[in-house]
């Protein structure tokens, strides 16, 4: 591993470890956001504890961290593989910030920011045909119309997108890392849903 590649991973981790939810909690209310609400240092918990405007700020910052890390890795001259790995390093930093006893957020917003970029690359290079994406949107809309349940939509939407990419897009680093992030976000959402159901079941 070259020095530039190593530095790119380190910078990605440090950028990812910056927790706007934690600092806004301290600044606005003098609290540790992780000790309130659902205990998560992320945008959703900030919305419930601090309100809409701080939640928007947190969401925008968290979504940009992976993209900034990848851009800096590119500017530093990191290899193509390590540019993508810098994005994953930012997710790791968000989840395990060193100065917060390695207890941060879930990394979903950071992953979504990277996934949006990958999706732009897929569409702009025509690796994912427009008609296939249109069919995907119609399928997702139909699922929601029939079920009217966002939980069901969440379970189906990401795996369906991954299948679409695997069918149409070429096998390269963009599609590989797109798949990794889709799987990560799906697992984290699934775990969060299970935990929420468990907490509800425990309530009298």
């Amino acid at each position: 591993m070259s020095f530039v590649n190593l530095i790119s991973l380190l910078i990605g981790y440090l950028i990812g470890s910056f927790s706007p939810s934690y600092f806004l909690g301290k600044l606005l209310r003098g609290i540790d956001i992780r000790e309130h609400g659902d205990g998560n240092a992320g945008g959703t918990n900030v919305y419930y504890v601090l309100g809409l405007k701080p939640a928007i700020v947190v969401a925008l910052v968290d979504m940009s961290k992976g993209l900034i890390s990848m851009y800096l890795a590119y500017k530093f001259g990191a290899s193509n593989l390590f540019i993508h790995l810098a994005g994953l390093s930012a997710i790791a930093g968000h989840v395990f910030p060193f100065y917060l006893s390695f207890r941060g957020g879930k990394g979903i917003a950071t992953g979504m920011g990277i996934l949006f970029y990958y999706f732009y690359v897929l569409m702009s290079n025509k690796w994912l045909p427009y008609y296939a994406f249109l069919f995907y949107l119609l399928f997702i809309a139909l699922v929601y119309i029939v079920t009217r349940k966002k939980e069901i939509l969440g379970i189906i939407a990401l795996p369906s997108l991954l299948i679409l990419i695997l069918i149409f897009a070429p096998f390269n680093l963009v599609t590989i890392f797109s798949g990794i992030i889709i799987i990560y976000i799906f697992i984290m959402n699934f775990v969060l849903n299970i935990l929420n159901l468990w907490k509800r079941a425990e309530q009298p």
Side-chain angles (χ1 to χ4, degrees):
M1 183 187 301
S2 72
F3 178 74
V4 170
N5 289 337
L6 181 61
I7 289 296
S8 297
L9 294 183
L10 177 60
I11 290 177
Y13 171 81
L14 292 175
I15 291 174
S17 69
F18 173 72
S19 179
S21 57
Y22 175 80
F23 291 114
L24 282 176
K26 290 291 187 181
L27 179 65
L28 298 178
R29 295 270 297 275
I31 62 173
D32 184 341
I33 194 71
R34 301 171 301 165
E35 305 301 327
H36 298 266
D38 63 9
N40 179 40
T44 301
N45 197 32
V46 168
Y47 171 73
Y48 289 118
V49 177
L50 301 178
L52 177 60
K53 291 181 180 179
I56 292 174
V57 172
V58 168
L60 291 175
V61 172
D62 284 347
M63 291 182 70
S64 69
K65 291 191 290 190
L67 298 177
I68 293 172
S69 300
M70 293 172 68
Y71 176 75
L72 290 177
Y74 166 74
K75 295 299 288 184
F76 291 156
S79 68
N80 199 20
L81 173 62
F82 278 84
I83 291 172
H84 297 283
L85 288 175
L88 296 188
S89 184
I91 296 176
H94 180 90
V95 179
F96 305 110
F98 66 94
Y99 59 94
L100 296 177
S101 302
F102 300 97
R103 187 163 69 91
K106 303 299 182 185
I108 293 175
T110 304
M112 287 298 296
I114 299 171
L115 188 59
F116 287 148
Y117 166 71
Y118 284 152
F119 189 75
Y120 167 77
V121 173
L122 288 167
M123 297 296 290
S124 62
N125 285 285
K126 298 182 180 180
W127 293 338
L128 188 60
Y130 289 105
Y131 74 85
F133 180 59
L134 179 60
F135 177 80
Y136 168 76
L137 293 178
L138 292 173
F139 171 71
I140 295 301
L142 180 62
V143 169
Y144 181 71
I145 290 171
V146 171
T147 65
R148 294 291 180 179
K149 293 184 180 295
K150 290 187 287 186
E151 294 84 0
I152 300 296
L153 189 64
I155 292 173
I156 292 177
L158 286 173
S160 299
L161 180 59
L162 178 58
I163 291 171
L164 198 68
I165 292 172
L166 291 175
I167 291 174
F168 289 100
F171 186 74
N172 55 34
L173 287 176
V174 171
T175 54
I176 290 172
F177 281 88
S178 296
I180 290 171
I181 292 177
I182 287 172
I183 292 169
Y184 174 79
I185 295 172
F186 175 77
I187 290 174
M188 294 306 298
N189 275 324
F190 183 77
V191 169
L192 287 176
N193 287 333
I194 293 297
L195 289 175
N196 288 334
L197 290 173
W198 181 54
K199 289 179 180 178
R200 290 175 191 171
E202 283 192 333
Q203 292 176 352

